[in-house]
């Protein structure tokens, strides 16, 4: 949950990230919203949008996320759940990677239209989607490149992997430190590489000092 707050702090220092492209124009978000992608043991995927994170502390963020996730788990699986957990359905394997990907993208665009995220200057979207791929059984993040969902309002994705012991060079020599990989991807119509690099450096600073959040 402190990761959500760290993303919000980085957005505050880099407002050029806190925007979206709608109908070919840049639109600023009024608040700093962060979406968190999660997946339960049953394979159901959920995307929780935390609104106005700037007005909440870490404890409030955690309470809101868990309350909404527990409420969703009590509900029946939706079309979005079935699309997001497509690996559980053999029909996608039968269609092949290209056709399967096209069907998946069309399905996600339909979900977006139903949510109304492309119907107003703000919409229910958020500028950043946060993924945590450090769960049990996940491969090291260096073995794959994180991607992003084809949803228009998610202009930037932040993917965080599990902390691993690595050799780090310090002034006193080489020592073992816990290192957590972070992968940031953004739409280059929104920001360039230098701007994204500065955002990533700020995010890393906040992640390395959670006591300041």
């Amino acid at each position: 949950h402190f990761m959500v707050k760290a993303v919000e702090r980085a957005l505050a220092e880099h407002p050029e990230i806190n925007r979206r492209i709608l109908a070919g124009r840049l639109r600023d978000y009024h608040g700093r919203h962060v979406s968190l992608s999660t997946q339960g043991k049953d394979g159901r995927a959920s995307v929780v949008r935390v609104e106005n994170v700037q007005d909440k502390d870490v404890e409030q963020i955690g309470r809101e996320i868990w309350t909404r996730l527990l409420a969703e788990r009590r509900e029946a699986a939706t079309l979005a759940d079935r699309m997001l957990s497509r690996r559980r359905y053999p029909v996608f394997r039968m269609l092949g990677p290209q056709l399967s990907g096209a069907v998946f993208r069309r399905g996600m665009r339909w979900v977006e239209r139903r949510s109304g995220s492309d119907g107003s200057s703000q919409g229910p979207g958020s500028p950043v989607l946060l993924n945590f791929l450090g769960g049990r059984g996940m491969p090291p993040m260096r073995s794959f490149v994180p991607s992003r969902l084809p949803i228009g309002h998610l202009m930037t994705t932040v993917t965080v992997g599990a902390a691993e012991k690595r050799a780090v060079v310090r002034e006193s020599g080489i020592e073992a430190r816990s290192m957590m990989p972070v992968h940031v991807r953004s739409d280059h119509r929104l920001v360039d590489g230098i701007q994204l690099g500065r955002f990533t450096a700020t995010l890393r600073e906040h992640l390395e000092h959670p006591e300041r959040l």
Side-chain angles (χ1 to χ4, degrees), residues 47-101:
V47 178
V48 179
R49 177 179 184 256
V50 184
E51 299 182 1
N52 298 311
V53 183
Q54 71 276 4
D55 300 328
K56 303 169 183 176
D57 57 28
V58 176
E59 183 178 353
Q60 291 173 315
I61 295 170
R63 189 182 303 115
E64 178 178 342
I65 291 173
W66 280 112
T67 299
R68 293 177 60 181
L69 285 177
L70 290 175
E72 288 184 9
R73 290 293 181 264
R74 289 192 290 266
E75 298 176 354
T78 64
L79 174 63
D81 295 318
R82 294 194 291 271
M83 293 296 292
L84 287 169
S85 57
R86 56 179 179 153
R87 62 182 176 82
R88 296 170 60 89
Y89 295 87
V91 64
F92 284 102
R93 293 194 294 270
M94 294 172 59
L95 293 176
Q98 290 186 338
L99 185 56
S100 173

Side-chain angles (χ1 to χ4, degrees), residues 5-77:
K5 191 63 179 180
V7 170
E8 182 273 322
R9 291 289 180 87
L11 286 174
E13 297 183 44
H14 302 275
E16 66 274 10
I17 304 291
N18 195 32
R19 298 184 295 179
R20 64 179 296 191
I21 296 176
L22 181 65
R25 298 179 58 186
L26 287 174
R27 306 295 180 95
D28 295 330
Y29 280 97
H30 298 322
R32 293 189 288 276
H33 319 310
V34 179
S35 293
L36 176 65
S37 175
T38 65
Q39 190 173 38
K41 294 181 180 179
D42 57 355
R44 288 181 58 184
S46 301
V47 178
V48 179
R49 177 179 184 256
V50 184
E51 299 182 1
N52 298 311
V53 183
Q54 71 276 4
D55 300 328
K56 303 169 183 176
D57 57 28
V58 176
E59 183 178 353
Q60 291 173 315
I61 295 170
R63 189 182 303 115
E64 178 178 342
I65 291 173
W66 280 112
T67 299
R68 293 177 60 181
L69 285 177
L70 290 175
E72 288 184 9
R73 290 293 181 264
R74 289 192 290 266
E75 298 176 354

Side-chain angles (χ1 to χ4, degrees), residues 98-150:
Q98 290 186 338
L99 185 56
S100 173
V103 172
F104 179 68
R105 288 190 294 272
R106 285 182 177 272
M108 292 306 300
R109 283 196 291 268
W110 179 84
V111 171
E112 183 182 69
R113 289 195 299 270
R114 287 292 300 270
S115 70
S117 60
D118 58 348
S120 66
S121 61
Q122 288 294 307
S126 63
V128 176
L129 173 68
L130 175 61
N131 297 290
F132 177 67
L133 300 182
R136 180 178 299 178
M138 293 296 296
M141 221 168 78
R142 61 179 177 272
S143 64
F144 63 94
V145 178
S147 186
R148 65 184 292 269
L149 293 175

